[in-house]
Amino acid sequence: MNATKDQNNHVRETTAWALSRTFEFLHSPDKCVSVVIDANLPRVVEILLASIKDSPNVAEKVCGALFFLAQGYNNAGSMSSVLSPYFGQLVSALLATADRSDSNNSRLCASAYETLNEIVRCSSIAETLNMIVLLLQEILKRLNQTFEFQITSSEDKEKQSDLQALLCGVVQVILQKFNNCDDKSVILQFADQIMVLFLRVFSCDSSNVHEEAMLAIGALAYATGTDFLKYMPEFHKYLEMGLQNFGAYQVCCVSVGMVVDICRALDDKDDDSSEYQNELRQSIFEAYSGILQGVKISKSELMVPYGASIFHFAELVLRDKSSRDEDLTKAGVALIGDLIDALGPSVKLMLQYSDFHSELLGWCSQSNDKQLRETASWVQGVISHVMAS
């Protein structure tokens, strides 16, 4: 610990890195094994808070040390966190570090926010609720300020996007923390402001930001429950865009998960949500179809492990004749065709043990909708070709 004050910058950096690794592997209070105990914790925190003000290269390593220090307490299993007395100081230090202007290394800013997330995760909501509320207000203010940045180059745009993604990540962690609080009024108090900012984020052209914002909105949907329904008319178009963004598979996958979060949040308690759910399920079908078409030529093996799950998901949705509409049915039938066409012989066994596709295609062949009949005919041809191969 004394080496953190050494005159040599390299020694201080290496020392901070060594502390980080030490806390990572030798700091597990839940397993009764830790180099950090109640007796030396105050000195550890004091030294790290002082060292985080050091040169940027040292500060980055100190962030790592604080990250693993907090992570060690994450599974301690107590309603109270031993870091609660230091929560305000740690948050202030990390926010100040993220704002440092003496570093051209964007990694320092990212490390500060990632460490902040871990500090929030390991905190006791009962002991730090008011401070977490203040932190949320500060993060939302910072997110709003990013829209005022002067963008004159691609580098400026990248910095804006990276910062927005980091801030969306912090909001997500805070919302997840609020889920442990019995009083949901805190979440509802900020829900409108959060959603307005996230919708502005979606207007920016950056898949990295969209992914983080989508994850955060999923946390908001879970936290607000049926109250999230009021945001769907405006949010739906961005969700659909995400589901169809096959070029950025992370965004597409996160968007699929977002649909699950929304359906869980709505919980079928509002009859008006059935139209949205059909549209969302249709978008999922179309997203999967796009992915399968994209990997068919050279990377179809990547989707083989997921083939059965996708097929069973389509079956689960399409068996519900009472709620599915025509567009949803078309998209589902097309997905089954794309799945079999892309994965080929690897799905033969699955088809042999399922009679659902035969029932579905038989029903579609009797439809009055010409397009649906043609799609069903194409799917039947694909199945025949695969089964004969």
Side-chain angles (χ1 to χ4, degrees), residues 59-76:
E60 182 186 341
K61 301 301 186 298
V62 173
C63 285
L66 284 169
F67 180 95
F68 289 113
L69 177 67
Q71 190 176 75
Y73 294 113
N74 206 12
N75 299 315

Side-chain angles (χ1 to χ4, degrees), residues 24 58 75 120 132 136 142 216 221 226 233 240 276-277 301 322 331 348 366:
E24 180 179 5
V58 177
N75 299 315
V120 172
I132 293 179
L136 176 60
R142 293 183 177 214
T226 54
E240 188 169 3
Y276 285 121
Q277 291 186 13
E301 69 278 1
S322 62
K348 287 176 68 172
Q366 304 299 318

